[in-house]
Amino acid sequence: MSRIFITTFILLFALCLSGFAQTNYELKLELVDSLNQPVEDAQVIVMPDSILRTTNRRGEVRIQLPEGQHSISVFHLQFEKYIQNFSVSQDLTLQVPLTYKTELLQDVSVTDRIYKDDITTIHVNAKDVYNLPSATGDFSKVLSTLPGVSSNNELSSAYSVRGGNYDENLIYVNGVKIYRPQIVSAGRQEGLGFINIDLVDQVDFSAGAWEAAYGDKLSSVLNVYYKEPTRHEATINLSLLGGSIYLGGINDKKDLSYTISARHKNTKYLLGTLETQGQYLPKFTDVQSFITKKFGDRTKLSLLISTAINNYETIPERQQTDFGNLQASYRLSIAFDGRELLDYNTNQAALILSHQFSDRFQSTLSLSGVLSSERENYEIEAGYLLCDVNTNIGSNRFNECVNVLGVGTNYSYGRNRLDAQIIAVEQKNEVKIGEHLLQFGVNWDHEMIEDRLDEYELIDSVDYVTVTEVLDSEAELSSDKVGGFVQLVIGNPGSTHQLNMGVRASYWTYSEQFILSPRLQYAYRFGLSDRNTIRVSTGHYAQHPFYRELRDRTGTINPNVKAQQSVHALLAWDRQLMIWGRSFVLSSEGYYKYLWDVNPYDVENVKIRYFASNQATAYAYGFDFRINGEFIEGTESWFSLGILKTEENLHTGNGYVRRPTDQRLNLGIFFQDHIPNDPSVKVSLNMQFGSGLPFGPPGDDDNRSVYSGDHYTRVDVGFSKSFTFQSQQIWLPRSLWIGAEVLNLLGTDNALTYTWVKDVNNNNFAVPNALSARFLNLRLIAKF
C-alpha cells in the first residue's frame, strides 16, 4: 500500500514540475494615436486568458502569456474599438495605432433667429439632465442645481431665484409665455410641470439683469425651445411614479415635423412616506404636441398644444411628529377626519408664424391662449395631543408620553374656484445691420379672471374656540397689458466687445400705470483664445400684478396695487480652464438688487399670501459661483454655490427684516460618473443644500421672520445601465436604459412648514412638517 502511495506522489510531483516549467513570454503593447502620441488609460483585454490591464502614461502595458494563439481588445472613450489576433512563441512587442472616434454631423439650418446669445444666459444641455434623479421627474429640478436658484420642496416645480418668490419667474416655450396654476397650496398637490423633457431641444436660463427682449418679471427668465425632429423616433419612459410616451417624426418632403408626448404622474407611493398617513389618490396627466410646417425656405408655421388634467384627493388619517432635543423632547399626535379634493385643469395653445424676408430681416408673430379651471374643496377636522416624551433610556417608560401639554381640535373648510382666460399676441423682429443686430417687438395680453374664495379655520383648545381665519370674497377682473421693446446688439457672440442696450415699455389698463425700463449688458473677452470674459449688466425691471397679487390675506381685492419695481446690477467673470486636458468654465457673479413699491408676502408651503400693498422697500445682494465641465470624461457635471442676503422694510417701525425667501447659503451639485471605458454603466447624483428660511408665528407681522428654520439637505442618486441594439425592425428599440434611483439617499427629515400649537400655559410650539422620506424608484427607458 505504501509503494502505491509513494508512486502516486512522485507522479503528481512530476506533473507539477512540468506545469511550472511551462514557458511564458512577455507581450509588450504600445498604444499610440494618429500623431504617434501614447494613449493613456486604455483598457486592454487578452483572450482566452481573460486578462485585463490599463495602459500607463507611456501608453504601454506588459503581460506574461503562454505560447499559443491569443487576441486583444482595446477600449477607450476617445478612440474606436480595436481587435487583433496574434500568436506568441517568443517575447513580442506590438504597436497598436488607435483611430479617433468621428461623428458625421447633419446640416444645421437656423430659421428662428439670425443669432442670439444673451450675455447673462446659462445654457443647459437637455440630454445631460434627461436621466436626472428626482422625486417628480420635473425638468425644473435641474434649475435648483444652478447658482442663485433655490427649491426647498422636492414635490413642487416652484423655485425661487436670488431672493424672489415663485411668481417672479418668466417661463417661455418657443417664445410663448407659460401659465402656472394660481391656487395650489401645497407641493404634493401640484401636477406635472409644463416643461416636457421629451420635447426639449435647448434651454437658456438667466438669473437676473437680462435684456429688454424679455418681459415683465423681477427674478428670472427660463427660455425653452422644443425640438423639430429630423427622423422618426419614439420613447417609452416608465417608473414607479409614472411615465411618458413620446413620438416624433418628419414627412418625406422634410417640410412637416411633429412631436407628441403623453405623461402621467402618480406619486401615491412617494406620498406614503410623509408623516401624515392616509389614503393618497393623486392622478396627474398631460398631453403636449409641437408641430412645424415649412412653406418654402423662408416661412414656417408652428403649433404648440398642451392640455393638463390634474386631480388630487387625499383622506388623511393620522400623524405623529417628534421634535425638540434630548433635554426637551415633544410629540404631537393628530387624528384626522375629512378629505381634500382638488382639480386643476389647464389648456394652452399657440400658433407661431415665422418669416425670413431676407438674410438680414426676420419677423415672428405668435398668438396664444390659456383656459384654466381650478377647484379646491376640503373639509378636515384634526384632533391633536401634545405631550412631553420620556428620553431616559433606563426608564421603563422610555419614548412614551409622560405629561400632556395640550389637547385640542382644528377644523379647516374651503370651497375655492378660479377660472382664467388669457389671450396673448406678440410680434418680434430682427434686422441685421452689418455685424450688429436690431431687435424690436410689441405684445398684448388680455386677462379675464373669475375667482370665488370661501375659507375658514378654527381651533378648539383648552375649552376656548378661536377663529383663526375667515376668507370670503368673490371677484371678476378683466384687463389688458400692452408692452414693447427695442434693443441694439453691437458685436456678435464671438466679438471681443459685445454691447446690448435696449428699453422696454409696458402699460396695464387696470392700474393705469405706464413703466419704462432701460437695460444694458456688456461683455469683454480677453486673454489667450478669449478664455476670459467680463460681463456687466444693469437695468430697470418691473412686474405688473397678476390677479393673486391684488388679493390680500383676508381675501379683499385692492385695486390700487401698483407694479413692483427694481434695479439690477451684475458684475461677472467667466474663465475657461484646461484641466486634465479637458475644458472647464468657472463663472463668478456678484449682484445687487434694490426694490421699491414692494408687495410683501408670506409663504405657506408653496402658497403665497400677499399683503396687497406697495408698502415695502427691499434689497438683495450676493455672490454666485459655478464650475462645469467633464469631471469624468464624456459626461458633463457642475457644482454651484450661492451666497445671498435679502431683507425688506415694511415701514412699520421694525426696520429691515429677513424676507421669506432669505436663504443665505445654497449649494447645488449635478454629477455624473461611469465605469472606466464603459459609459453604458452610469451613476448620476443630484444634491441640494440650503440654509434655513425665516419664519414666525401666524398673525404676528412684527415677528414674522424672527426664527430660522432647519437646513434643507437633499441627495438623490441614480444607477443605470444602457444597452444599444442594431436591429432594423421598427418595433424593436434602438436602445434600452434601466435604472434604479434612491431618492433622499440620506433619509433627511426636511421641514418646509411649521404647525403652531398652544399648550395649557398658552405657550406656542412650532411643530415641523417633514417632506418625503427615503424612497427607491425603478425606471426603464426604451428609445426607438
Side-chain angles (χ1 to χ4, degrees):
M1 186 69 181
S2 60
R3 291 181 179 178
I4 297 175
F5 175 79
I6 294 172
T7 303
T8 304
F9 178 79
I10 293 174
L11 291 174
L12 290 174
F13 184 73
L15 288 173
C16 291
L17 286 177
S18 64
F20 283 113
Q22 181 179 1
T23 303
N24 284 337
Y25 299 101
E26 182 182 76
L27 171 67
K28 178 183 177 183
L29 294 177
E30 299 175 352
L31 275 62
V32 296
D33 61 11
S34 57
L35 299 177
N36 207 35
Q37 296 299 311
V39 177
E40 182 184 0
D41 291 332
Q43 297 283 346
V44 178
I45 299 177
V46 181
M47 298 298 290
D49 310 86
S50 299
I51 298 174
L52 175 63
R53 295 287 188 273
T54 302
T55 56
N56 57 25
R57 291 189 175 184
R58 298 185 298 275
E60 297 177 352
V61 64
R62 297 173 185 268
I63 304 172
Q64 297 294 322
L65 295 176
E67 183 177 359
Q69 294 292 324
H70 304 270
S71 69
I72 60 168
S73 299
V74 180
F75 301 90
H76 195 284
L77 283 174
Q78 293 181 294
F79 298 90
E80 298 289 350
K81 180 179 178 182
Y82 181 90
I83 299 176
Q84 179 180 342
N85 297 319
F86 61 95
S87 176
V88 173
S89 58
Q90 58 183 357
D91 291 343
L92 183 63
T93 298
L94 293 178
Q95 188 178 74
V96 177
L98 298 181
T99 304
Y100 280 96
K101 291 180 179 178
T102 58
E103 182 179 357
L104 181 62
L105 300 178
Q106 297 179 347
D107 293 337
V108 177
S109 175
V110 179
T111 58
D112 283 345
R113 300 172 294 173
I114 295 175
Y115 67 75
K116 188 72 176 64
D117 188 14
D118 184 7
I119 292 172
T120 65
T121 288
I122 294 176
H123 303 284
V124 180
N125 189 339
K127 293 181 180 179
D128 287 333
V129 300
Y130 187 82
N131 301 323
L132 177 78
S134 68
T136 60
D138 195 276
F139 173 80
S140 66
K141 290 307 166 188
V142 72
L143 298 180
S144 60
T145 65
L146 299 180
V149 184
S150 172
S151 177
N152 286 4
N153 189 340
E154 65 270 10
L155 302 176
S156 172
S157 61
Y159 55 92
S160 167
V161 179
R162 290 178 176 172
N165 70 38
Y166 310 136
D167 293 336
E168 297 178 2
N169 304 308
L170 270 171
I171 300 178
Y172 290 96
V173 173
N174 288 81
V176 178
K177 282 187 290 187
I178 301 304
Y179 174 87
R180 183 175 180 269
Q182 295 292 299
I183 63 176
V184 173
S185 59
R188 64 179 183 274
Q189 302 168 358
E190 285 192 37
L192 293 152
F194 186 92
I195 308 301
N196 187 332
I197 189 63
D198 284 324
L199 307 182
V200 172
D201 178 48
Q202 179 182 333
V203 180
D204 299 332
F205 179 76
S206 175
W210 57 89
E211 61 187 36
Y214 296 123
D216 308 308
K217 292 286 186 179
L218 291 178
S219 292
S220 74
V221 174
L222 175 64
N223 209 354
V224 178
Y225 293 91
Y226 279 178
K227 60 186 174 184
E228 300 173 16
T230 57
R231 61 175 181 82
H232 294 290
E233 57 189 17
T235 303
I236 298 176
N237 189 336
L238 302 175
S239 82
L240 296 180
L241 301 176
S244 65
I245 298 177
Y246 159 76
L247 295 173
I250 190 169
N251 67 350
D252 294 337
K253 295 182 179 180
K254 307 297 182 183
D255 61 356
L256 177 66
S257 64
Y258 66 90
T259 61
I260 182 170
S261 178
R263 295 183 294 170
H264 178 74
K265 182 174 73 172
N266 188 338
T267 54
K268 176 181 178 180
Y269 302 107
L270 181 64
L271 296 178
T273 68
L274 299 178
E275 288 184 338
T276 301
Q277 300 297 303
Q279 299 181 46
Y280 291 96
L281 303 172
K283 296 179 182 178
F284 308 126
T285 305
D286 83 340
V287 178
Q288 292 188 26
S289 180
F290 185 63
I291 303 171
T292 299
K293 170 66 176 177
K294 295 180 180 179
F295 301 91
D297 296 331
R298 295 184 176 271
T299 305
K300 182 172 68 174
L301 180 65
S302 300
L303 173 63
L304 175 65
I305 302 173
S306 172
T307 180
I309 302 173
N310 302 313
N311 307 115
Y312 176 85
E313 181 179 2
T314 180
I315 305 174
E317 296 175 356
R318 62 189 179 278
Q319 175 182 336
Q320 179 174 297
T321 303
D322 293 319
F323 62 102
N325 51 46
L326 291 177
Q327 287 73 34
S329 182
Y330 305 98
R331 176 174 296 159
L332 177 67
S333 300
I334 306 177
F336 297 95
D337 184 26
R339 70 170 60 197
E340 290 181 275
L341 183 60
L342 315 172
D343 299 298
Y344 311 110
N345 300 324
T346 305
N347 300 285
Q348 302 187 58
L351 273 173
I352 308 165
L353 177 64
S354 180
H355 181 71
Q356 193 164 343
F357 292 93
S358 69
D359 293 340
R360 293 184 171 270
F361 178 36
Q362 179 175 296
S363 183
T364 301
L365 175 66
S366 64
L367 171 64
S368 62
V370 175
L371 182 63
S372 179
S373 174
E374 305 176 40
R375 302 289 184 268
E376 286 187 340
N377 298 306
Y378 60 88
E379 187 172 1
I380 297 176
E381 184 175 8
Y384 68 87
L385 182 147
L386 178 67
C387 67
D388 282 317
V389 177
N390 188 342
T391 58
N392 184 2
I393 299 178
S395 173
N396 58 2
R397 297 194 62 187
F398 171 70
N399 202 34
E400 294 183 6
C401 283
V402 292
N403 183 30
V404 175
L405 300 176
V407 177
T409 301
N410 178 277
Y411 180 81
S412 300
Y413 173 92
R415 295 291 185 272
N416 304 325
R417 62 174 175 81
L418 185 145
D419 296 304
Q421 300 177 46
I422 302 173
I423 299 173
V425 179
E426 186 167 13
Q427 201 274 330
K428 291 184 177 181
N429 305 277
E430 294 185 348
V431 180
K432 195 171 184 181
I433 306 173
E435 294 298 320
H436 313 312
L437 184 67
L438 175 67
Q439 297 174 295
F440 57 94
V442 293
N443 65 278
W444 167 70
D445 294 356
H446 180 64
E447 301 172 353
M448 295 173 287
I449 308 293
E450 295 183 9
D451 179 57
R452 179 71 176 96
L453 183 66
D454 183 11
E455 296 181 7
Y456 65 88
E457 184 175 334
L458 56 89
I459 295 177
D460 182 359
S461 178
V462 292
D463 297 328
Y464 291 95
V465 177
T466 304
V467 178
T468 58
E469 183 178 64
V470 176
L471 304 176
D472 188 2
S473 68
E474 189 169 358
E476 293 186 10
L477 176 65
S478 179
S479 65
D480 297 281
K481 292 177 179 176
V482 181
F485 78 95
V486 59
Q487 66 182 28
L488 178 64
V489 183
I490 299 176
N492 58 52
S495 301
T496 301
H497 301 276
Q498 185 181 0
L499 178 67
N500 185 329
M501 50 186 178
V503 62
R504 187 172 189 87
S506 60
Y507 177 77
W508 190 28
T509 58
Y510 189 79
S511 63
E512 299 182 346
Q513 183 179 15
F514 175 80
I515 295 176
L516 199 64
S517 301
R519 301 173 188 177
L520 177 71
Q521 291 85 33
Y522 170 72
Y524 170 59
R525 297 172 179 84
F526 63 95
L528 181 64
S529 302
D530 290 340
R531 290 184 177 179
N532 296 275
T533 302
I534 298 295
R535 295 183 285 117
V536 180
S537 301
T538 187
H540 174 270
Y541 299 84
Q543 178 171 321
H544 288 290
F546 195 67
Y547 165 74
R548 190 167 61 170
E549 296 163 67
L550 303 176
R551 194 176 69 189
D552 66 14
R553 292 172 293 178
T554 67
T556 304
I557 299 297
N558 180 7
N560 299 316
V561 178
K562 301 295 184 180
Q564 302 181 80
Q565 303 186 59
S566 68
V567 171
H568 293 194
L570 179 145
L571 177 62
W573 176 32
D574 300 329
R575 168 66 175 170
Q576 294 186 16
L577 307 172
M578 291 300 295
I579 305 175
W580 307 312
R582 300 188 291 274
S583 178
F584 289 78
V585 178
L586 174 62
S587 298
S588 306
E589 295 188 359
Y591 60 89
Y592 178 81
K593 296 193 291 186
Y594 178 75
L595 302 92
W596 66 96
D597 289 340
V598 173
N599 189 349
Y601 57 88
D602 292 324
V603 179
E604 302 173 10
N605 204 302
V606 297
K607 175 177 280 188
I608 298 176
R609 294 189 182 274
Y610 289 94
F611 285 38
S613 67
N614 298 106
Q615 69 185 78
T617 55
Y619 67 85
Y621 67 84
F623 300 92
D624 289 337
F625 305 93
R626 179 176 185 249
I627 183 169
N628 67 289
E630 294 185 4
F631 290 88
I632 304 300
E633 192 171 9
T635 59
E636 184 174 7
S637 305
W638 57 80
F639 295 78
S640 303
L641 174 65
I643 302 171
L644 163 73
K645 183 177 182 180
T646 180
E647 294 184 327
E648 62 186 2
N649 189 345
L650 273 61
H651 300 287
T652 57
N654 294 321
Y656 278 92
V657 297
R658 297 178 66 186
R659 304 191 78 191
T661 50
D662 182 33
Q663 190 164 55
R664 298 292 172 88
L665 181 65
N666 189 54
L667 173 66
I669 297 175
F670 173 64
F671 188 79
Q672 299 182 91
D673 195 0
H674 57 76
I675 290 179
N677 293 308
D678 187 2
S680 67
V681 181
K682 183 179 293 186
V683 59
S684 300
L685 176 72
N686 179 21
M687 176 181 173
Q688 295 172 245
F689 172 82
S691 57
L693 293 169
F695 72 100
D700 187 354
D701 289 348
D702 291 336
N703 296 301
R704 56 195 287 263
S705 298
V706 295
Y707 302 111
S708 183
D710 297 331
H711 300 322
Y712 180 86
T713 304
R714 177 84 183 184
V715 178
D716 298 326
V717 62
F719 305 90
S720 64
K721 168 67 178 177
S722 61
F723 304 89
T724 303
F725 308 102
Q726 301 298 325
S727 174
Q728 301 299 319
Q729 303 295 331
I730 192 172
W731 59 85
L732 294 177
R734 293 184 295 108
S735 66
L736 190 65
W737 185 95
I738 300 174
E741 300 172 345
V742 184
L743 307 176
N744 193 5
L745 176 67
L746 303 181
T748 309
D749 291 329
N750 291 308
L752 179 65
T753 61
Y754 294 84
T755 300
W756 289 86
V757 178
K758 286 186 178 182
D759 66 3
V760 293
N761 298 316
N762 210 34
N763 296 315
N764 276 313
F765 289 82
V767 183
N769 298 314
L771 292 166
S772 60
R774 186 184 293 112
F775 183 81
L776 175 64
N777 186 34
L778 303 178
R779 293 180 63 188
L780 183 147
I781 301 175
K783 293 189 176 183
F784 297 84

